[in-house]
Amino acid sequence: MVTAFGTVTTEPLDLAAHEAAVADRRAGAVVSFQGVVRDHDHGRAVSTLEYEGHPDAAEVLREVAAEIGADPDVYAVAVSHRIGPLAVGDVALVAAVSTAHRAAAFAACARLVDEVKARLPIWKRQVFADGTEEWVNCP
């Protein structure tokens, strides 16, 4: 049985907790990823971000985790996305995957992050150092 979970939260994300959640005695590889708020975007200085999520965002995240977990090479999947105000250096997305071998773990984690970025109904408001702002990934 594959362990797959996904959550959307306002709380800080914990990479170690995600890695522990995918621990499996059969696993020879655990690959994890952290999406961190950076201080720039397209040459503009960013001061803060705010993520806003659709009410279905948590369900979509769980669906994506389950789909990646359906891969017969994957033992476990854990993924979380933070919403609310975040500062530069804060973690916005954490993903972890376990498999028997490293190539499968890297591939599964990359698919997980790509699918989350493509499908998750969470929008980002960037506030720039000059006081201007923009919304990103809005429908």
Side-chain angles (χ1 to χ4, degrees):
M1 183 173 109
V2 170
T3 301
F5 83 80
T7 188
V8 174
T9 182
T10 58
E11 297 299 315
L13 302 179
D14 183 347
L15 178 65
H18 285 70
E19 291 171 340
V22 301
D24 188 298
R25 294 176 55 90
R26 302 169 294 164
V30 172
V31 170
S32 58
F33 171 83
Q34 291 188 108
V36 180
V37 176
R38 63 184 180 267
D39 69 353
H40 62 93
D41 189 37
H42 299 291
R44 298 176 70 190
V46 172
S47 57
T48 61
L49 295 182
E50 182 177 353
Y51 286 97
E52 191 169 305
H54 186 277
D56 293 337
E59 180 59 31
V60 172
L61 198 60
R62 286 188 292 271
E63 289 171 5
V64 170
E67 289 171 18
I68 299 302
D71 181 329
D73 289 334
V74 173
Y75 296 144
V77 176
V79 60
S80 298
H81 201 296
R82 192 163 166 200
I83 58 173
L86 281 80
V88 171
D90 285 347
V91 178
L93 172 66
V94 172
V97 176
S98 63
T99 67
H101 303 286
R102 72 179 177 275
F106 278 112
C109 193
R111 281 194 322 271
L112 176 61
V113 171
D114 289 346
E115 285 298 310
V116 166
K117 296 296 282 179
R119 294 172 41 194
L120 193 62
I122 289 182
W123 306 281
K124 175 173 64 175
R125 182 175 69 96
Q126 297 187 117
V127 178
F128 297 101
D130 64 7
T132 61
E133 61 182 55
E134 74 177 354
W135 284 91
V136 180
N137 298 331
C138 293

